[in-house]
Amino acid sequence: MFFSGDPSTRKRVDLGGRSSKERDRQKLLEQTRLERKRRLGLRQQNSAALKIQKCFRGRKAVEAERAKVREQFHISFGERCQKVDGNSFNSESEFLRQLLFFFNARNSSDCVLLVETCRLLQHFVRVSGNVMNLFGSTDYSSKHAIVENRVKRLAFACLQAVHHNRDQLKDQLLMSPESSSVPTVILLEAVVTLTDPNLPWVCKVVGYLSQRNTHGLLRDIVLTGRNVKTRDTSQSRSSLERVVTLIASHIGQHPCSCSNSDSRWSFSSQLLSIPFLWQHFPYLKEVFATRGLSSHYIHQMTLCFHGHANVLPDDISHEFPGYACLLGNILETAGAAFSQPNCTFDMAIDFAAVSTFLLEALPPIKSSITANSTLGEAEMAVDEEFVEVLSKDLERQISNAIDPLFLQQLVNVLFKDASSSNGMHNADVVAVGAVCAFLHCTFNILPLERIMTALAYRTELVPILWKFMKRCHERQQWPSLSEQTAHLSGDAPGWLLPLAVFCPVYKHMLMIVDNEEFYEQEKPLSLKDIRGLIIILKQALWQLLWVIPGKSSTFQKSATNFSDHKRLSIHFIQHKVGIVTSELLTQLQDWNNRRQFTPPSDFHAQEAVDDIFVSQAAVENTRAYDILKQAPFLVPFTSRVKIFTSQLAAARQRNGHNAAFTRHRFRIRRDHIFEDAFNQISVLSEEDLRGMIRVTFVNEFGVEEAGIDGGGIFKDFMENITRAAFDVQYGLFKETTDHLLYPNPGSGLIHDRHLQFFHFLGSVLGKAMFEGILVDIPFATFFLSKLKQKYNYLNDLPSLDPELYRHLLFLKHYEGDISELELYFVIVNNEYGEQTEEELLPGGKEMRVTNENVITFIHLIANHRLNFQIRHQSSHFLRGFQQLIQKDWMEMFNEHELQLLISGSLEGMDVNDLRANAHYAGGYNEEHQVIHIFWEVLKNFPSDYQKKFLKFVTGCSRGPLLGFKYLEPPFCIQRAAPGDPSEEDLDRLPTSATCMNLLKLPPYRSKEQLEMKLMYAINADAGFDLS
């Protein structure tokens, strides 16, 4: 066909690649699907409409029939049951059948009829004295099905009526049976009558009530009545309590044959989760604790929680979450339940499991004790992410329930049949797992003041756990405790949970125990056992920090996020065990430093001695560095000193120690060295203090001394300033009986600016350590602990005041009535003749010391002397010290090691090491005859003379910790005479320049002469003045 000029006739092309036929087919299929869906919807609508109509017609017919029966009932028995007699309740009568058929709790007239029925029931029971005869006449056995059906429906109707009208009847809900004319009491007492445990139908009735969610109705009734202020104040039980007690005490008890009801509507879920249930039902509390009910219901809860079923009702409010209320109620009765002779091991295991499950969901509870707490430090992590805040009363209920007696009973029940043989029984493993899981959660939630002391001194928990761990370690087989918590994987180390509990409790014991108990009486563990414990702790800590790949260190960064890490998750427990194990080992190391009972190397991890590990530990953000921060004792002391020395060298390099020009030069008068140094150095900034400082001395005539300070004069200045400032005559420091220095508590009486002086002296000591200058200042251990910001305890007191320590021990072990000694919670301070009296606690002047509070008194006294009295001086000294020495540097060392860093090694001088690192000047060399004689004489000196020689030439009687290779400047022997010495030259004494570690030695001609002159010089403390 030819082209007509009309473009509309052109063939259309689909650029999508599909033909129009295919597109039309898909459209048709979609339309068909939608049509089919529309028809299905219509059919469902019609079906639903039919069901609704059928239900409505059925309900309407039933209501019509009920109205008809109600009308017949009124005719037959009267509108208020006027025509009812005793025979109306038996199985032949239509009275109960009709009443229960038309009864509706929403109908007020029906409720009036029910109340009147219950009143008549009570009346006829009192008259006849037999409920069975009233319902079953004389032939109960043949009519028992009818009777049981009517009785259980009547009981349920009574509870329905109370529940539906609870708001109108709220003033009556907790009234006692004495108020017999009150409708609520009449209804509830009818239920009490019908559920008498002696009646043959009681199982059927209680079972029916349980199936109809009666505990949910009772929960609503109790919650409505608990807020009413005007309630019955008589001593008798309320009718509501009688009902709850009868129903609760029947279920699960022999010979109960009730069918199991839904756990969501059980007594445990619905009623035990009511806040402070026992305040409203004290008799029920007694029954629950003493008649075995707790065992049944707690076991029931165990089964639910093991299945991870959420069976608790909705929370009343965010302040009263159901799980916390449930926990408070079962804890409050646990002590009484454990004290019962029929309390079983299985019941204690179930209790521990349920309590642990609930505790894990609980936010931390802060201590009410905010000041003067002597029993510990902030030990546990606090979850700042938690927004849930419990009611203070609920927190108090939970805290008060976990009291010393409860903890003692729990441990006794779990371990009363503990195996005494060397074998490992399954019951021992289960008991250890249960108590450790429970206590681990408790430690991370509740305040620790009372808990730790109770566990340490009122239970045998520490010996029991140690015995368990010792057995496992000896057998090299740790049983899995993963069954005690769903969060622990099967391959979790078996020592994890026991250490999580053992370490903090034993650590607390070590804070309170005295030196005699620890070293002499070997309580609570023998020294041999402690040596074994150190090995277990060290191996566990190394596993956590190094072997287990990255888990602990990774978790450490996010440990405060409780929402991600449950308290019983393996990561959280690993983190906590790493902390408490490290703290306990640190404490045991302190005890070993006081009096050695094991070689110091026992605290070192063999793997940490490796040079590769030490090199990694010096680099931040490595696992070796993290170990050095958290558990420095695992690394040998010499390795840590090398790391510290390298850190100091790097810090000096950063602060321009190699600069050509010195920014700060000070003129110091020798006879006013402290005042001049304080006025000039105390105004320097932290950066300036870290920089190079040079000193020029001015003599008593005001003339500058000759010499250029190349570092030696500054060292001499540091030695002189420390000697002057730390002299007890100056009044800033005092001496212990062992001649160890500590801040003078009365320094403020001598110097107005004493706190500024302490800040300055902290800077001076920090500068000496920063520059690597050893100063011979012996500090008391309890003061050195302040440089680590640690707390001192009773066992530190002997170093300060051994007489006071003996008196306190006398009180601790006094067997008589301490109150007769007329002691009060006050302490008398006597500084320079001025006596002041301070209260150890608010109101201490009126608080007498008794046998119950004597331990607290003892530790408050120790705290006052070791911490409180010197707190201001110590804090200012620490601030000055930390201007130059970082806190994390000090955390690498304990107090004993800090003293070594300050003053050098305590060991005897190594003459061979000194000779290998000696330099010579003025004509001397290593092969010179005088030098040979000198080393021979020095080597033959006794140890105390060698120390005197070292002090003579270096200013300190102790050598560098890492050897004389690290002495700055190096030790040098200089010839102190011209090439051809005269007799006068040879008659001179050896002299020294301690600022340069320089010995000026004349070329004596004989060994005897050199020995005599050298001994005379070192005993006369000759120095520059004999040059």
Side-chain angles (χ1 to χ4, degrees), residues 556-695:
Q556 194 170 0
K557 297 178 178 60
S558 58
T560 55
N561 189 351
F562 280 68
S563 58
D564 293 336
H565 299 280
K566 290 289 187 180
R567 295 182 182 94
L568 277 176
S569 70
I570 187 171
H571 298 304
F572 184 82
I573 300 178
Q574 283 176 356
H575 171 68
K576 299 303 294 185
V577 171
I579 293 174
V580 295
T581 304
S582 176
E583 291 174 345
L584 179 55
L585 277 170
T586 300
Q587 209 163 1
L588 290 172
Q589 191 182 40
D590 290 342
W591 281 97
N592 197 47
N593 288 334
R594 291 190 193 98
R595 190 190 304 178
Q596 186 170 314
F597 56 84
T598 191
S601 58
D602 281 358
F603 291 90
H604 303 156
Q606 293 180 353
E607 300 85 349
V609 181
D610 182 69
D611 289 338
I612 298 176
F613 177 89
V614 174
S615 63
Q616 291 179 353
V619 181
E620 293 188 12
N621 300 321
T622 61
R623 259 197 301 156
Y625 178 79
D626 291 339
I627 289 177
L628 186 64
K629 288 182 64 178
Q630 183 170 340
F633 46 80
L634 294 177
V635 184
F637 176 56
T638 53
S639 300
R640 283 179 279 135
V641 173
K642 289 179 182 178
I643 294 171
F644 176 59
T645 304
S646 66
Q647 290 171 329
L648 287 178
R652 289 195 294 267
Q653 182 72 26
R654 287 193 301 270
N655 285 274
H657 265 57
N658 296 332
F661 301 99
T662 303
R663 294 175 58 185
H664 299 287
R665 294 182 181 273
F666 300 122
R667 296 176 79 253
I668 304 294
R669 293 172 296 171
R670 283 193 180 273
D671 52 352
H672 293 82
I673 187 170
F674 182 84
E675 292 81 356
D676 288 357
F678 173 76
N679 291 331
Q680 296 179 71
I681 295 179
S682 61
V683 297
L684 296 181
S685 67
E686 182 175 322
E687 182 182 356
D688 291 337
L689 279 172
R690 288 171 173 262
M692 190 180 296
I693 296 176
R694 291 295 175 250
V695 169

Side-chain angles (χ1 to χ4, degrees), residues 844-858:
K845 291 181 180 178
E846 309 298 327
M847 190 182 301
R848 181 176 291 190
V849 180
T850 65
N851 293 71
E852 287 72 30
N853 61 22
V854 66
I855 295 296
T856 302
F857 173 76
I858 289 170

Side-chain angles (χ1 to χ4, degrees), residues 342-377:
N342 61 347
C343 180
T344 64
F345 174 83
D346 291 336
M347 185 268 179
I349 293 294
D350 286 341
F351 167 83
V354 170
S355 300
T356 302
F357 184 90
L358 297 172
L359 278 168
E360 201 179 358
L362 208 66
I365 296 175
K366 294 182 179 179
S367 172
S368 58
I369 302 175
T370 57
N372 292 314
S373 175
T374 65
L375 301 179
E377 304 166 61

Side-chain angles (χ1 to χ4, degrees), residues 204 326 637 852 954:
K204 298 289 184 181
L326 174 61
F637 176 56
E852 287 72 30
T954 67

Side-chain angles (χ1 to χ4, degrees), residues 479-534:
S480 173
L481 301 177
S482 57
E483 292 182 5
Q484 307 309 317
T485 167
H487 301 288
L488 274 181
S489 58
D491 59 347
W495 41 261
L496 203 58
L497 264 180
L499 285 182
V501 173
F502 175 86
C503 288
V505 178
Y506 186 51
K507 173 175 172 280
H508 184 78
M509 292 186 82
L510 292 181
M511 294 176 186
I512 300 175
V513 73
D514 58 67
N515 293 336
E516 182 182 353
E517 290 173 324
F518 185 88
Y519 295 113
E520 310 300 336
Q521 301 174 12
E522 299 192 9
K523 293 180 179 180
L525 299 181
S526 69
L527 296 180
K528 180 182 177 182
D529 281 343
I530 293 175
R531 288 190 284 270
L533 172 63
I534 290 171

Side-chain angles (χ1 to χ4, degrees), residues 307 538 584 596 744 829 832 837 1002:
K538 180 178 66 176
L584 179 55
Q596 186 170 314
N744 179 6
N829 301 316
Y832 302 105
E837 190 178 80

Side-chain angles (χ1 to χ4, degrees), residues 727-793:
D727 191 328
V728 294
Q729 298 299 322
Y730 200 74
L732 291 175
F733 279 81
K734 295 181 78 172
E735 273 187 341
T736 67
T737 54
D738 297 327
H739 305 292
L740 303 176
L741 297 175
Y742 68 96
N744 179 6
S747 58
L749 299 174
I750 303 174
H751 302 284
D752 293 336
R753 305 171 67 188
H754 68 121
L755 295 181
Q756 292 170 279
F757 289 164
F758 276 105
H759 186 281
F760 167 67
L761 290 181
S763 303
V764 168
L765 183 64
K767 182 65 174 175
M769 190 177 289
F770 188 78
E771 299 292 346
I773 300 172
L774 298 177
V775 289
D776 199 3
I777 307 174
F779 287 113
T781 304
F782 65 87
F783 173 60
L784 288 171
S785 68
K786 296 304 175 185
L787 297 184
K788 291 175 60 63
Q789 297 178 267
K790 281 175 59 178
Y791 191 91
N792 293 305
Y793 294 94

